[in-house]
Amino acid sequence: MFRFKKRTFLLLATVVSCFFLTSCRYEEPAITHITNPDFFTTWVFTEEEAVCSQGSTYPSGSQEEHIELKTLINSSYEYTVNGELVQKGTFIALSEKITFSPPIFPNSIDINSTYVLTGPNLVITTTELLNSGSTETCTVKRKYSRKR
């Protein structure tokens, strides 16, 4: 009878231990496509801020241009400069990463950009080469406001 109790105890202890080990396991939250309806609109470029790794000044010519980024519910985009379509394609927005295909920013060294949607603003941050022949990188933040 003692053996029966010992085996029962060991079996019960094993089952309880397995339960605790599996219930405490960390699982990565599922990555989902963006569903926030505020994201799908026409965005107007408002400002650019760049910090380069060796202190160079990032060449910015976009301040004089009227740039719009239209993000559509079917995960497509249109990028216009001064009313002319420059680029169109698709995008994937997962968590805080966004990937444009084809890329909007030609000097970007990573296919993924990060984005933050805060109220009426969209900020897209990329890591880019200073220029096409350079090895110096810059972190470029582009701010867009919702078109009124």
Side-chain angles (χ1 to χ4, degrees):
M1 185 127 182
F2 179 73
R3 280 183 160 225
F4 181 73
K5 289 182 181 179
K6 187 175 183 181
R7 285 185 184 164
T8 305
F9 174 75
L10 287 174
L11 180 62
L12 184 60
T14 303
V15 169
V16 169
S17 296
C18 288
F19 172 77
F20 281 113
L21 288 174
T22 58
S23 67
C24 295
R25 182 176 44 198
Y26 172 78
E27 292 190 19
E28 189 75 27
I31 298 175
T32 57
H33 289 277
I34 190 164
T35 57
N36 185 341
D38 291 339
F39 183 79
F40 304 103
T41 189
T42 300
W43 300 98
V44 178
F45 176 81
T46 56
E47 65 183 88
E48 180 176 84
E49 178 183 312
V51 177
C52 297
S53 59
Q54 297 173 8
S56 298
T57 303
Y58 185 80
S60 176
S62 53
Q63 308 299 19
E64 302 84 36
E65 301 171 323
H66 179 75
I67 299 173
E68 290 186 353
L69 170 63
K70 184 184 280 188
T71 51
L72 304 170
I73 195 84
N74 66 353
S75 296
S76 64
Y77 76 88
E78 295 176 359
Y79 195 73
T80 60
V81 176
N82 297 328
E84 291 187 36
L85 183 64
V86 173
Q87 189 78 267
K88 69 189 266 186
T90 60
F91 67 89
I92 299 172
L94 303 171
S95 300
E96 297 172 351
K97 300 281 185 192
I98 191 165
T99 304
F100 294 98
S101 180
I104 294 175
F105 312 112
N107 288 337
S108 183
I109 60 173
D110 188 3
I111 62 168
N112 294 317
S113 300
T114 59
Y115 74 93
V116 178
L117 182 62
T118 56
N121 298 316
L122 172 67
V123 179
I124 299 176
T125 304
T126 59
T127 302
E128 301 179 23
L129 293 174
L130 179 62
N131 55 48
S132 60
S134 176
T135 58
E136 184 176 0
T137 60
C138 303
T139 301
V140 183
K141 290 184 180 182
R142 292 177 178 89
K143 183 177 172 184
Y144 299 84
S145 294
R146 189 172 285 111
K147 186 174 183 177
R148 299 172 195 237

